[in-house]
DNA sequence: TAACGCCTACGGACCGGTAGGTAGAAGTCG
DNA sequence: CGACTTCTACCTACCGGTCCGTAGGCGTTA
């Protein structure tokens, strides 16, 4: 049975709402009633679709990280070299975070928690992406197209500089004068990060 | 009555334990029983010292951020100019985070949450530090001693690059092969961040 | 008829917080 | 000094509420 896009399954609705709630208030701060209420069903009905709160959270997390893996996969294919390729990935990542603010907060919470998911499936999913990124950077550095750094550290630096802006938007809103998630502010942020990293990475 | 340093007040013990618990598991993920048990008293006894869980959390948060404000105050005094002053602050911040991992996680959680504390007292405390940092950078850039960037964005970039490593240590441990919080790993991280930022900031 | 999706009702655990009592230290006063 | 009061820090017992999860029933649809 093919459902039209206009009528998502109850199960899909639960996943959508759960992702939003978990990303806003964390695992402990979200109750199954919160989720069920927003979907428009009772908690036992929700538990008809998912065996437990933990299982629901796991699925939310895996879905979210799979989305991210897809993007990285897609953004890292292409014949570009040196800084141009780095910039393409940065822009793609930035756009992804703009469009998936839930993912950012979810990932940050999980990184902070270091929960049981993290040491296992999640790192198994991220590790290849990380290693691939490091290998690419190493190749470009060896070829003299990028300035030389510790590649893994460099990945961590870029990831921190980009992700923190999104995950800490509430705090940053209090430090800047503008609304940090407005399109204008996001554009400023994007160009700044690219600018700084270009200065640090370009050879000439 | 002057208590010897070896016997902290019950109240102080509660604050110490609470800071650790809240930073590890967040506000919702920590129960007053957890804290009371570790101190070695019952929950009602804990509530004899603090009127509510919220009040305890507020005090933990304010104490932690006051520690941070003290460090920034101290690290930013001095006659240095240009990159040397930036590097001094970076090293001081890095050391502070090494010695206060609780603060990092607490701050990250609060930034993520955007709770009622954040929009108010916390930003009121951080805003002057942030503005002062931006003013310093602007002065140095105008004098030609640092490459020109948007100063506030630059502060956010540095903060994200440094803080993320500490707050996401569990995740990073799964991506790197070393123990991320070991002294050796921390030294590598510190020198890397300084290296990248120097490349981006130095003028010559 | 059988499966499915939802429901009401309930259980057992835990939550933050309150009421009220007790032991002991500290101060007060004849 | 000794008796009495006051205060502090802790306790046990309990409250109403919320948590996740289960049992079992009911209607619709295949």
């Amino acid at each position: 049975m093919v459902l039209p896009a206009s009528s998502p399954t109850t199960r899909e609705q639960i996943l959508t709402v759960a992702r939003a709630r978990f990303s806003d208030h964390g695992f402990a701060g979200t109750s199954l009633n919160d989720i069920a209420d927003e979907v428009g069903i009772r908690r036992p009905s929700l538990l008809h679709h998912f065996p437990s709160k933990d299982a629901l959270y796991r699925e939310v997390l895996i879905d979210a990280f799979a989305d991210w893996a897809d993007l990285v996969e897609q953004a890292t294919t292409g014949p570009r070299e040196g800084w141009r390729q780095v910039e393409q990935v940065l822009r793609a990542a930035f756009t992804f975070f703009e469009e998936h603010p839930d993912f950012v907060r979810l990932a940050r919470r999980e990184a902070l928690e270091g929960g049981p998911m993290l040491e296992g499936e999640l790192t198994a999913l991220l590790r290849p992406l990380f290693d691939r990124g490091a290998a690419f950077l190493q190749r470009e550095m060896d070829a003299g197209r990028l300035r030389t750094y510790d590649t893994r550290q460099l990945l961590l630096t870029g990831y921190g500089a980009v992700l923190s802006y999104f995950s800490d938007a509430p705090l940053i809103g209090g430090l800047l004068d503008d609304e940090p998630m407005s399109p204008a502010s996001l554009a400023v942020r994007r160009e700044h990060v690219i600018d700084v990293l270009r200065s640090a990475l370009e050879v000439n």
Side-chain angles (χ1 to χ4, degrees), chain A:
Chain A
M1 174 175 56
V2 177
L3 287 171
S6 59
S7 70
T9 310
T10 300
R11 199 188 139 87
E12 289 166 350
Q13 288 186 61
I14 293 172
L15 282 170
T16 302
V17 171
R19 193 193 283 208
R21 287 288 147 270
F22 283 139
S23 80
D24 275 356
H25 307 299
F27 181 80
T30 302
S31 80
L32 293 184
N33 273 326
D34 294 340
I35 300 169
D37 285 354
E38 189 167 331
V39 173
I41 59 177
R42 304 291 170 193
R43 183 182 64 262
S45 308
L46 187 156
L47 287 166
H48 170 75
H49 296 275
F50 297 88
S52 71
K53 186 185 183 183
D54 271 280
L56 172 59
Y57 181 70
R58 289 174 67 90
E59 189 152 336
V60 164
L61 220 56
I62 288 180
D63 284 1
F65 275 81
D67 287 352
W68 168 245
D70 284 350
L71 173 106
V72 173
E73 194 76 26
Q74 168 199 338
T76 52
T77 60
R80 289 191 181 78
E81 289 184 338
W83 168 253
R84 287 193 56 198
Q85 172 66 9
V86 174
E87 182 173 340
Q88 166 177 321
V89 173
L90 279 172
R91 290 188 184 277
F94 217 92
T95 303
F96 179 84
F97 294 152
E98 264 182 79
E99 291 169 353
H100 299 78
D102 283 354
F103 168 78
V104 177
R105 302 161 68 76
L106 218 46
R108 255 277 139 72
R109 287 187 188 280
E110 194 62 18
L112 210 44
E113 214 68 52
M117 284 289 298
L118 198 87
E119 18 202 299
E121 303 172 66
L122 247 44
T123 46
L125 194 152
L126 291 178
R127 189 67 195 254
L129 305 181
F130 190 74
D131 290 343
R132 190 141 56 91
F136 165 78
L137 289 173
Q138 193 63 59
R139 196 179 336 124
E140 299 298 310
M141 289 176 187
D142 289 345
R145 288 188 287 266
L146 292 177
R147 201 181 309 195
T148 301
Y149 294 100
D150 181 320
T151 55
R152 310 178 96 81
Q153 292 292 333
L154 187 61
L155 281 176
L156 293 180
T157 300
Y159 136 87
V162 176
L163 210 75
S164 291
Y165 184 86
F166 290 93
S167 72
D168 298 359
L171 169 67
I172 290 168
L175 295 180
L176 302 175
D177 294 315
D178 306 326
E179 174 54 43
M181 291 299 278
S182 73
S185 295
L186 287 169
V188 168
R189 179 65 192 164
R190 182 182 62 236
E191 299 309 320
H192 168 81
V193 170
I194 289 171
D195 200 21
V196 169
L197 288 179
R198 180 171 42 227
S199 295
L201 278 174
E202 271 191 335
V203 282
N204 37 329

